[in-house]
Amino acid sequence: TDLMKLELAIIENIQREDLSPVDRARAFDRLVKEFNFKHHEIGKKVGKSREYVSNSLRILSLPEYIINALSENKITEGHTRPLMMLIDRPQEQETLLKEIIFKKLNVREAESIARHIAVERARKLIDQELIDIEDQFKEKLGTRVRIEKKDEGGRVTIDFFNKDDLRALLERIAADGGVSQQTSEVLVENAES
């Protein structure tokens, strides 16, 4: 049938040595969309692993300008991996592409940059969470609170101006049920002695 001929033509095309990564990904994509093939089925037909097919198809999730750069051999298929790591950071993705092209970065160098950006981003997210908690402390206690993070745990510093201020802080914490009235009296006595 015509459909089988088309399937065969696509598969023969995929097996060509000179096929570009983008054309190969588009051919895999046709097999998925027009023939409802699963990635492992395509792999079997072309003598490749399921991962190979999935990784190839992932190229098509990149922005058009990166796909074009790959088509025009400005970057290699290996370079798409680090670019993929920044899929949710379009500006950083674009900057990395320019660096790959203009600084002629190899795949390992590009991966190192992408990993560094990902780690920095995770660190900022953690820091942002600490900033939010600091703000909640400030609101609750009505004074400046600093949180210092260490490798293991950290330290919370609460500013106060005098003993009255300290007593008021303790009463505020006690009122929230954080410290019993008895304990708060002992702590204030200790603070005063």
Side-chain angles (χ1 to χ4, degrees), residues 1 43 54 63 71 74 83 111 113 121 136 144 157:
T1 67
S54 301
S71 282
K74 288 179 180 170
L83 288 163
E111 275 178 344
I113 291 170
R121 187 166 78 237
Q136 285 170 29
R144 185 153 184 260
T157 311

Side-chain angles (χ1 to χ4, degrees), residues 26-59:
R26 288 194 172 125
F28 285 161
D29 195 45
R30 278 191 76 182
L31 290 174
V32 169
K33 286 180 178 153
E34 294 175 33
F35 297 91
N36 293 320
F37 283 146
K38 302 271 180 286
H39 295 189
H40 71 90
E41 292 172 327
I42 297 170
K44 265 197 192 126
K45 285 180 184 290
V46 298
K48 300 284 183 186
S49 68
R50 183 198 58 77
E51 289 80 11
Y52 178 86
V53 176
S54 301
N55 289 337
S56 188
L57 278 162
R58 214 167 281 140
I59 290 168

Side-chain angles (χ1 to χ4, degrees), residues 137 141 143-146 156-161 166 169 173:
F137 265 124
L141 302 176
T143 186
R144 185 153 184 260
V145 176
R146 276 186 311 283
V156 178
T157 311
I158 301 170
D159 288 356
F160 68 95
F161 298 104
L166 188 59
L169 277 170
I173 293 168

